[in-house]
Amino acid sequence: AQKVTQAQTEISVVEKEDVTLDCVYETRDTTYYLFWYKQPPSGELVFLIRRNSFDEQNEISGRYSWNFQKSTSSFNFTITASQVVDSAVYFCALSGVGSGNTPLVFGKGTRLSVIA
Amino acid sequence: EPEVTQTPSHQVTQMGQEVILRCVPISNHLYFYWYRQILGQKVEFLVSFYNNEISEKSEIFDDQFSVERPDGSNFTLKIRSTKLEDSAMYFCATQRGQSSGYTFGSGTRLTVV
C-alpha cells in the first residue's frame, strides 16, 4: 500500500525566513511520481511540481526548491525567503505509474503561516 | 490554459437529499477522478473512471455514491441520500494519459444540514 507522511502539522515562520516542509513516502512500486500541491485559503489545489522516481535531481523554481532522496524515501520542499502569500496548506502526494488509472495518495498536509 | 470546471462551487442540502456534483473535463482527457476533502483534513481518493466505467474505488465510495458520464462531456458524482458526514470539498481531477499530470477543478463545497 502507498502512504505519504507529512509529520509537520503546522509551521509558523517570520517573513523572509527559509522553511522546509518534510514529506516521507512508502510504496512498493519501483516507478512512481511524487507531487506537491498548495492549497490557499480559497480552497483550490494548486499544482507545484511532479517528479518521476527515476529523476533524483533536485529542482529549483524561483524561491521554491525540492530535495528528492530515494534512499530515505523523502521529497522535501523548501521555500526560500518566505512571503506572506506563501501562507497555505501544502500537500505532498504520490501516485503509481502503470496501466489504467493511478490515483493520488495525499499526505495530511502542512499548514504554513508566514507572519509579516 | 484548459481548465476542469466544477459546478456548483457551493451547495447546501438537507440530510437525506440527493445531490449531483458536476465536472466538465478537459476535452482530450481520458482518465477521471473524484476526491473528497473533509474540512481541515487531507484529500482522499474516492473513485477513478476510464472508458465509461469505474476502474478503482476506495472504501469511502459505498453504495450511496455513483459516477457517470451521461453525455460524453459531464462527469458527475451522485450522492443518493446525503449524511452530515458527507459535508466536504469534492474535487474532480482529470488526466490526458496514464503518465500525464493531473488537472484539478476548483472544487465543490458541499454542506449537508
Side-chain angles (χ1 to χ4, degrees), chain A residues 33 35 37 39 42-45 47 50 91 95-109 111, chain B residues 31-33 35 37 41-45 48-50 55-56 89 91 95 98-102 104-106 109:
Chain A
Y33 287 107
F35 300 77
Y37 286 88
Q39 187 174 45
S42 50
E44 73 271 23
L45 288 169
F47 168 78
R50 181 178 76 151
F91 291 97
S95 79
V97 177
S99 59
N101 297 80
T102 51
L104 284 164
V105 175
F106 284 83
K108 291 185 176 180
R111 181 177 299 277
Chain B
Y31 297 88
F32 311 119
Y33 305 82
Y35 292 85
Q37 184 184 29
Q41 298 188 22
K42 70 176 180 179
V43 181
E44 300 173 291
F45 166 70
S48 55
F49 191 85
Y50 169 71
S55 46
E56 188 175 345
M89 180 79 97
F91 290 103
Q95 268 180 307
Q98 294 168 12
S99 299
S100 304
Y102 302 83
F104 277 85
S106 53
R109 185 170 297 283

Side-chain angles (χ1 to χ4, degrees), chain A residues 74-93:
Chain A
S74 66
F75 186 45
N76 296 338
F77 172 33
T78 297
I79 302 174
T80 303
S82 58
Q83 300 175 2
V84 172
V85 293
D86 296 327
S87 297
V89 180
Y90 291 86
F91 291 97
C92 180

Side-chain angles (χ1 to χ4, degrees), chain A residues 7-91:
Chain A
Q8 304 150 310
T9 307
E10 292 191 34
I11 300 176
S12 186
V13 299
V14 176
E15 204 171 21
K16 297 184 184 174
E17 284 185 353
D18 298 348
V19 59
T20 295
L21 309 183
D22 297 334
C23 173
V24 173
Y25 62 91
E26 295 174 30
T27 180
R28 292 182 184 165
D29 295 341
T30 54
T31 307
Y32 47 90
Y33 287 107
L34 294 163
F35 300 77
W36 276 94
Y37 286 88
K38 174 182 180 179
Q39 187 174 45
S42 50
E44 73 271 23
L45 288 169
V46 178
F47 168 78
L48 296 178
I49 189 171
R50 181 178 76 151
R51 176 50 55 104
N52 187 302
S53 55
F54 287 125
D55 183 2
E56 286 195 69
Q57 282 195 352
N58 290 334
E59 176 141 350
I60 298 175
S61 176
R63 295 185 296 108
Y64 295 170
S65 62
W66 290 270
N67 184 335
F68 176 28
Q69 301 231 339
K70 214 167 180 178
S71 59
T72 56
S73 298
S74 66
F75 186 45
N76 296 338
F77 172 33
T78 297
I79 302 174
T80 303
S82 58
Q83 300 175 2
V84 172
V85 293
D86 296 327
S87 297
V89 180
Y90 291 86
F91 291 97

Side-chain angles (χ1 to χ4, degrees), chain B residues 3-5 21-32 34 49 52 68-77 92 94:
Chain B
E3 290 183 344
V4 174
T5 305
L21 310 183
R22 290 183 169 78
C23 169
V24 179
I26 296 171
S27 61
N28 61 350
H29 283 203
L30 301 175
Y31 297 88
F32 311 119
W34 282 102
F49 191 85
N52 285 321
E68 62 176 3
R69 201 171 179 220
D71 55 8
S73 60
N74 287 295
F75 176 50
T76 62
L77 174 68
C92 173
T94 71

